[in-house]
Amino acid sequence: MSAPRPAPRNGAAPRPTLAVFKLASCDGCQLTLLDCEDELLTVAGRVEIAHFLEASSAVRPGPYDLALVEGSVTTPQDAERVREIRAAARFLVTIGACATAGGIQALRDFADVEEFRATVYARPDYIATLATSTPVSAHVPVDFELRGCPIDRGQLLEVITAFLAGRKPDVPDHSVCFACKRRGTVCVTVAHGTPCLGPVTHAGCGAICPAYGRGCYGCFGPSGSVNLPALIPLLRRDGMSEDDVRRALRTYNAASFVEVEGAGAGGAGVKGAPS
Amino acid sequence: MTHRGSRVLHVGPLARVEGEGALHLTVDDGTVTGAELRIYEPPRFFEAFLRGRSHTEPPDITARVCGICPVAYQMSACRAVEDACGVTVDGQLAALRRLLYCGEWIESQILHIHLLHAPDFLGVDGAVELARTQRAHVERGLRIKQAGNAILEQLGGRAIHPVNVRLGGFHRVPATGELGPLAERLRRARDDAWQTVCWVAGFDFPDAGLDHALLALAEPGRYAIDSGTPTVMAAPHTHGLPSGTAAPLPLRQFPVYAFPSEVTEEQVPYSTALQAALDGERYLTGSLARYAISGRWLSPLAQEAARAGGLGDPAAGKVCRNPFRSIVVRAVEALYAIDEALRIIDAYEPPPRPYVAVPPRAGTGHGATEAPRGLLYHRYTLDAAGLITAATLVPPTSQNQGAIEDDLRRLVQARLDTGAGDTEAELTALCERGIRNHDPCISCSAHFLDLTVDTVDRARRSPPCP
Ligand code: SF4
Ligand code: SF4
């Protein structure tokens, strides 16, 4: 990703424009922006919010300097919309597990979506949907992917600030384990035999779960260098069945953990669709 | 453009709601004969992929249905699974759950009041524009919201999709004294929330009246949030009264397990959200319903705020059926949630264990709690090993959808009847306001309103939802 060109800043120069879009999602990642209570009005003063339906009825047409996209592509219409958003955006950043890895709705990828449709709807024929839930990057080039279900407020502000300043966001891709060490949290696996996906999960949340006495359940998706074959026997030792392990890897970032399973885990015993 | 009977309107995206939807109105010679709220939020199939999951998973998984009310999903999920397993959570653990829920109520109600709904009354596009002229009000809203989020963060680990909830209670409970700093912040928020009640009470409210039955949980002795018995207040027309009647009407209750037989869900061709009916009729859940059914159980301070805010005396059974005034009711509810959070913190003593065990057993369990925008019902069927074999989630918006449609039909009809000859933009603004009055969460069942008004004789249907 190259650094953005800051907008010219002479007297009448327009502020950079920010747009927020939503595909299939829960709204949680864009709500994270509204949850930056201390910084919201400051951010709003530095950018021109050109399109952010959750926050404003004022909708200005593109092009946009920075587009944040939440949610995954699950309909033919959204596949088209994501191309339009790309065409209108100088920089496109995906926010959250849905936009970055297909999200929880990617569980359909391992199942029969026709059957899903019939389970939920009496008239499945009224419902238009794709058989898959794919990340934005499967459709268009993406400048930066911010992980998490939901994303972390601090990381979001870092990404916005970095783009405004014309530099690369400082979002490291080490594992949750590093964050536990930094926070001074005693390792739940070593101390209590609690199964934890922290060793293979991308940092960013600040290692919340272990601090609350539970194992990480992987909501930030796989970290940079993942050693699943080493982790799986530990999870089994700590009481997880093969099905439990499979389900744990296949939830909020199903599609990307499965990529890792395919690439790294080989015969690690986590193959096959859940249930 | 404005002659009756031949009106076609296409209107852009609806902002300041969650999720995606469109509105299609049919006008037959000056009479609105149809109103279809088309929710085209892409289906996410939660009920399907919950099958085969362990009974411990619904609280974390169903939180992802909605980023605005994850705690509501977590709490209804816990209640339903615990019901299936024959476990009751009470004492300080139940109090902590209610405290967490208060955090979500504060955050969500204040978000809706200050950032999403108030701009409608003040003629601006959003909170950022509002901050230019009324910065102190926006900043106060952000402060109160932050206090709600502080509860969620401290007790839940984070504000969106909290991690500390589990079946039977929590992974970790606060130590003695740990909630002290939170209480200090909440006391400031309580003063701020009182100011918010006064602020919104001063808005201009168009005349309007609902004629629907109201459904909310009720729990004698306190305002229902995290538990209670489904309670229905009759619609005015069933008693030959005009819509909008502020007198209390008869109540009827049914147990939570009877929800599936009392509330029937139907799929309509134009929407991904199912529509619900009660006794075959449209009904409303949410702030107006709760206030009508449980107003007298509000704390003394919240009751005083309701009177000061022009809602009348809830202790005397005064109800509010003007949807535009729902913003005042929400402000009173936010104040109540702060008051209640403080009461819980004052009485808090750490329980002996952070959770009670919930061993699986075969069976079906039901759970209902009050999400900020209305009653949220969950049902799970488990096998003996605790794997889910069937799951049903009935979110508030799908229950409210029919009542919202009817409300919009009345609003537009009243405008047409004045012969004012409103422009497209005016009618759209009216419909958008009508929708926001109900704080619908269209993700759980929407961000775009494409308003189409069609004449019936052409019977032209707008293209299928995108
Ligand atoms: S990643 Fe998680 S929090 Fe973000 S939109 Fe998707 S489901 Fe919601
Ligand atoms: S510890 Fe793991 S599961 Fe918990 S919030 Fe962080 S990344 Fe998500």
Side-chain angles (χ1 to χ4, degrees):
Chain A
M1 179 204 65
S2 59
R5 225 172 344 102
R9 282 209 154 268
N10 51 42
R15 285 169 294 161
T17 48
L18 174 72
V20 184
F21 295 96
K22 172 191 156 66
L23 308 169
S25 67
C26 82
D27 280 44
C29 288
Q30 53 176 318
L31 180 64
T32 303
L33 189 52
L34 296 179
D35 272 357
C36 300
E37 290 97 0
D38 286 333
E39 302 85 4
L40 184 62
L41 294 178
T42 313
V43 172
R46 291 193 51 202
V47 297
E48 186 192 330
I49 298 178
H51 185 287
F52 184 10
L53 288 176
E54 178 148 354
S56 176
S57 328
V59 171
R60 288 182 260 291
Y64 309 108
D65 291 305
L66 176 60
L68 304 176
V69 181
E70 173 194 273
S72 65
V73 177
T74 61
T75 63
Q77 291 78 11
D78 277 351
E80 184 51 40
R81 253 175 84 209
V82 92
R83 280 191 286 274
E84 287 163 12
I85 293 167
R86 174 71 271 185
R90 200 145 69 91
F91 290 99
L92 190 162
V93 172
T94 62
I95 52 170
C98 294
T100 302
I104 190 160
Q105 51 273 12
L107 288 175
R108 73 179 70 189
D109 301 6
F110 312 105
D112 176 1
V113 81
E114 288 312 318
E115 193 267 335
F116 270 24
R117 193 156 28 185
T119 301
V120 179
Y121 296 100
R123 289 293 307 267
D125 49 312
Y126 292 162
I127 304 296
T129 189
L130 294 172
T132 53
S133 164
T134 39
V136 173
S137 63
H139 300 263
V140 294
V142 168
D143 297 298
F144 192 80
E145 295 185 313
L146 190 58
R147 290 164 176 279
C149 179
I151 53 172
D152 173 78
R153 187 188 298 173
Q155 289 201 331
L156 175 63
L157 287 171
E158 162 59 18
V159 166
I160 295 175
T161 314
F163 275 93
L164 292 178
R167 62 172 173 80
K168 193 176 182 332
D170 179 19
V171 175
D173 78 345
H174 55 237
S175 75
V176 167
C177 289
F178 285 76
C180 267
K181 305 294 167 283
R182 184 167 308 154
R183 192 169 175 153
T185 303
V186 175
C187 177
V188 295
T189 298
V190 171
H192 310 292
T194 302
C196 181
L197 295 185
V200 298
T201 299
H202 201 283
C205 70
I208 306 171
C209 292
Y212 279 79
R214 76 182 286 189
C216 168
Y217 59 88
C219 77
F220 271 61
S223 57
S225 45
V226 170
N227 190 347
L228 264 186
L231 179 68
I232 286 161
L234 266 179
L235 299 175
R236 300 294 303 274
R237 181 202 71 188
D238 293 334
M240 290 176 83
S241 70
E242 198 164 319
D243 277 347
D244 293 337
V245 172
R246 184 188 302 136
R247 283 199 308 265
L249 293 173
R250 293 189 176 181
T251 311
Y252 311 95
N253 290 272
S256 65
F257 269 123
V258 164
E259 260 172 44
V260 176
E261 284 175 45
V270 292
K271 294 279 145 199
S275 72
Chain B
M1 208 49 255
T2 56
H3 36 96
R4 304 170 71 162
S6 59
R7 190 183 277 270
V8 179
L9 279 185
H10 291 281
V11 184
L14 174 75
R16 291 183 273 123
V17 302
E18 296 152 58
E20 310 201 334
L23 181 68
H24 182 91
L25 287 178
T26 313
V27 178
D28 184 4
D29 194 23
T31 302
V32 184
T33 52
E36 295 178 352
L37 185 59
R38 302 175 164 186
I39 291 175
Y40 51 81
E41 179 80 13
R44 296 170 70 211
F45 301 117
F46 278 84
E47 290 157 320
F49 62 63
L50 278 163
R51 287 172 312 170
R53 292 272 165 174
S54 154
H55 76 307
T56 56
E57 294 183 86
D60 289 323
I61 290 182
T62 62
R64 268 69 183 186
V65 173
C66 178
I68 319 282
C69 55
V71 173
Y73 279 86
Q74 294 185 324
M75 294 298 120
S76 287
C78 285
R79 292 198 81 87
V81 176
E82 288 156 9
D83 180 45
C85 301
V87 171
T88 310
V89 174
D90 48 23
Q92 287 292 340
L93 286 174
L96 282 177
R97 283 183 163 180
R98 189 166 168 94
L99 176 61
L100 185 73
Y101 219 142
C102 283
E104 179 158 291
W105 266 40
I106 299 163
E107 191 280 328
S108 174
Q109 301 288 42
I110 291 295
L111 171 83
H112 188 260
I113 294 166
H114 282 261
L115 303 186
L116 312 184
H117 205 186
D120 275 346
F121 293 91
L122 301 164
V124 292
D125 286 324
V128 172
E129 294 82 353
L130 191 59
R132 288 193 194 117
T133 54
Q134 306 223 9
R135 194 168 178 108
H137 292 298
V138 175
E139 285 180 344
R140 187 182 67 244
L142 291 172
R143 274 201 309 271
I144 309 170
K145 187 167 164 302
Q146 201 167 30
N149 276 341
I151 298 177
L152 293 164
E153 280 161 18
Q154 185 160 346
L155 190 53
R158 63 181 169 195
I160 301 167
H161 307 328
V163 301
N164 191 26
V165 171
R166 55 164 291 162
L167 284 186
F170 295 86
H171 291 279
R172 178 186 172 280
V173 291
T176 315
E178 210 180 304
L179 299 173
L182 203 51
E184 234 159 86
R185 172 175 245 170
L186 285 164
R187 274 189 283 271
R188 280 196 304 277
R190 186 164 54 181
D191 295 340
D192 281 337
W194 181 277
Q195 296 301 319
T196 287
V197 174
C198 299
W199 180 51
V200 298
F203 293 169
D204 248 348
F205 300 105
D207 273 337
L210 285 169
D211 197 16
H212 297 291
L214 305 171
L215 170 69
L217 298 179
E219 208 183 2
R222 59 183 195 174
Y223 205 70
I225 299 179
D226 53 321
S227 58
T229 305
T231 304
V232 186
M233 182 179 280
H237 72 264
T238 56
H239 290 263
L241 295 168
S243 57
T245 301
L249 292 165
L251 298 179
R252 175 174 81 81
Q253 293 199 315
F254 57 85
V256 180
Y257 65 77
F259 193 91
S261 54
E262 295 280 343
V263 172
T264 48
E265 278 196 295
E266 230 183 60
Q267 191 185 359
V268 288
Y270 52 81
S271 177
T272 51
L274 304 176
Q275 282 202 12
L278 185 68
D279 301 326
E281 291 208 41
R282 298 170 164 185
Y283 66 96
L284 193 75
T285 172
S287 294
L288 293 179
R290 285 190 296 254
Y291 183 75
I293 287 165
S294 294
R296 69 200 148 114
W297 302 119
L298 283 167
S299 63
L301 183 73
Q303 292 201 12
E304 200 184 324
R307 287 188 294 266
L311 293 173
D313 187 2
K318 197 95 157 99
V319 309
C320 171
R321 285 181 184 266
N322 181 343
F324 288 95
R325 279 191 194 271
S326 67
I327 192 169
V328 187
V329 177
R330 257 179 222 110
V332 169
E333 288 196 332
L335 176 67
Y336 171 74
I338 298 170
D339 214 23
E340 179 69 356
L342 279 164
R343 187 193 64 75
I344 294 168
I345 292 174
D346 277 350
Y348 179 66
E349 281 166 27
R353 282 173 55 83
Y355 60 90
V356 294
V358 184
R361 68 176 194 196
T364 294
H366 310 254
T369 67
E370 286 287 338
R373 41 204 64 71
L375 190 150
L376 170 62
Y377 167 81
H378 287 212
R379 176 172 73 246
Y380 302 97
T381 302
L382 309 179
D383 69 15
L387 291 181
I388 297 165
T389 57
T392 302
L393 317 176
V394 184
T397 297
S398 78
Q399 300 180 67
N400 287 343
Q401 202 182 336
I404 297 174
E405 286 179 345
D406 195 55
D407 191 24
L408 294 170
R409 187 185 60 71
R410 279 162 194 275
L411 275 177
V412 173
Q413 188 62 56
R415 288 304 304 171
L416 293 179
D417 289 347
T418 65
D422 296 275
T423 61
E424 287 181 23
E426 286 161 342
L427 273 187
T428 306
L430 181 72
C431 289
E432 292 200 352
R433 290 187 65 175
I435 292 175
R436 283 191 211 105
N437 283 340
H438 299 286
D439 186 15
C441 175
I442 312 182
S443 331
C444 66
S445 41
H447 293 261
F448 292 104
L449 178 69
D450 259 315
L451 172 64
T452 326
V453 179
D454 260 3
T455 54
V456 76
D457 36 5
R458 259 144 251 155
R460 197 185 61 83
R461 303 214 111 203
S462 65
C465 299

